Amino acid sequence: MYRFSNTVIGFLNLFTLLASIPIIGGGLWMAKSSTTCESFLQTPLLVLGFVVLIISLAGFIGACFNVAWALWVYLVVMLFLIAALMGLTVFGFVVTSEGGGVPVAGRVYKEYRLQDYHPWLRTRIKESEYWRTIRSCILGSKTCAKIASWTPLDYLEKDMTPVQSGCCKPPTSCTYDMVTVVPQDPDCYRWNNAATLLCYECDSCKAGVLEDVRRDWHKLSVLNVVMLVVLIGIYSIGCCAFQNTRRAETDYPYGQNRMTKVRPRWDYYWWRWWHGKKEELW
């Protein structure tokens, strides 16, 4: 049982070390890709991959080779990682608690309103540079082309994704055949039949994107809770491995490791030689 925690930490970090390689490779592949949506995700993937690589390498070396300082670095970084993940999880649940679609009478799909979402998300989506990136992603994904051939009956019977509902059509309440001009949703005037325009500058389009983000982020927050439980368990085992390593370092002053069945550490013979020389001098 003395080496059990070290062995477990060693195997766990070997697994995460190997897992970081495809993460980094995916980020580098996205960096070379010309697709806007893929390049948008390259930085988080590369950062995540290198962080996992460094932490795993430190934990593996520390646990398998009894290097106390490496395990200490591993535990400190793991503590910061757990704290950051916990903060991100709480933040994710807060910003995804608002939003959701509004049912449309006689339709299967829902429509989305920008004012229903968290202020932080609304501020982020309204940034022109950020929205240009998202807009080009939607254009490149051919999302609206999938419903371009729908008939009026299809609009009554079929469901839409949040992006299709907000970006590919005007709000259902809009009317364009009335002689008398009545106040309408501002998005009704932003709508354009051109395939490259449609309702991409509408607030409803931004709201549809935020609904997708909200759903994905909520799922990620639930996954983060599971990851937190796993990381806390690994951190606890790592603390035991660190204590074992420190004990191996401090055992020498109290004896000369007479347990012949236990393999001596790498510096054991050097330690015996050094203390033998000191005894000869005295």
Side-chain angles (χ1 to χ4, degrees), residues 112-178:
Y112 305 89
R113 300 179 301 189
L114 191 59
Q115 63 269 24
D116 292 341
Y117 293 87
H118 192 275
W120 185 87
L121 290 176
R122 295 203 307 265
T123 302
R124 180 66 172 161
I125 201 72
K126 286 181 179 179
E127 294 177 6
S128 57
E129 183 177 354
Y130 183 78
W131 181 245
R132 280 197 299 269
T133 303
I134 296 298
R135 187 179 185 278
S136 60
C137 286
I138 299 172
L139 279 169
S141 65
K142 307 295 183 182
T143 300
C144 292
K146 297 175 183 177
I147 65 171
S149 59
W150 278 17
T151 65
L153 184 61
D154 291 329
Y155 280 91
L156 292 173
E157 297 179 344
K158 294 184 179 181
D159 197 5
M160 297 183 187
T161 66
V163 173
Q164 287 174 335
S165 176
C167 304
C168 305
K169 64 170 188 60
T172 307
S173 60
C174 296
T175 54
Y176 297 100
D177 56 353
M178 295 182 64

Side-chain angles (χ1 to χ4, degrees), residues 179-190:
V179 177
T180 304
V181 177
V182 295
Q184 297 194 86
D185 189 319
D187 285 344
C188 297
Y189 305 105
R190 299 187 182 110

Side-chain angles (χ1 to χ4, degrees), residues 17 25 30 46 51 70 109 122 135 162 196 209 233 242 253 266-267:
L17 181 67
M30 288 181 178
L46 287 174
V51 169
Y109 60 82
R122 295 203 307 265
R135 187 179 185 278
T196 56
V209 172
F242 179 69
W266 63 273
D267 60 347

